[in-house]
Amino acid sequence: MQALDLNFPLLSDWNAEAVHAFGVAHEFRGFKDVAERTAFLVAGDGTVRNAWRYEAAGEVPDFDELLAAAQAL
């Protein structure tokens, strides 16, 4: 987080609670509860303001778009 100068927490969902809560769980190559490639913009009060889903194979998030959306909050 220091390398990116982030001032907010990141989520590690080792028990898949968030994956199911956000409705992005699926099976991938025999593994259950794998998250679909998704980016969520969450406001300081915990409200999800936007979500972007991406194709599992090869589609990369547009980081400039995500950063601009976060800066607009």
Side-chain angles (χ1 to χ4, degrees), residues 5-72:
D5 194 28
L6 302 178
N7 61 358
F8 53 85
L10 298 176
L11 172 69
S12 176
D13 188 27
W14 60 271
N15 60 1
E17 287 182 28
V19 170
H20 287 282
F22 283 103
V24 296
H26 75 289
E27 187 173 323
F28 180 74
R29 297 185 179 171
F31 293 97
K32 293 182 179 180
D33 299 332
V34 175
E36 294 176 340
R37 187 175 294 195
T38 311
F40 293 97
L41 177 59
V42 182
D45 65 359
T47 304
V48 175
R49 301 305 276 283
N50 207 341
W52 296 262
R53 284 196 181 183
Y54 303 95
E55 295 296 322
E59 189 178 3
V60 177
D62 181 340
F63 295 108
D64 291 331
E65 177 186 12
L66 299 177
L67 181 60
Q71 290 172 331

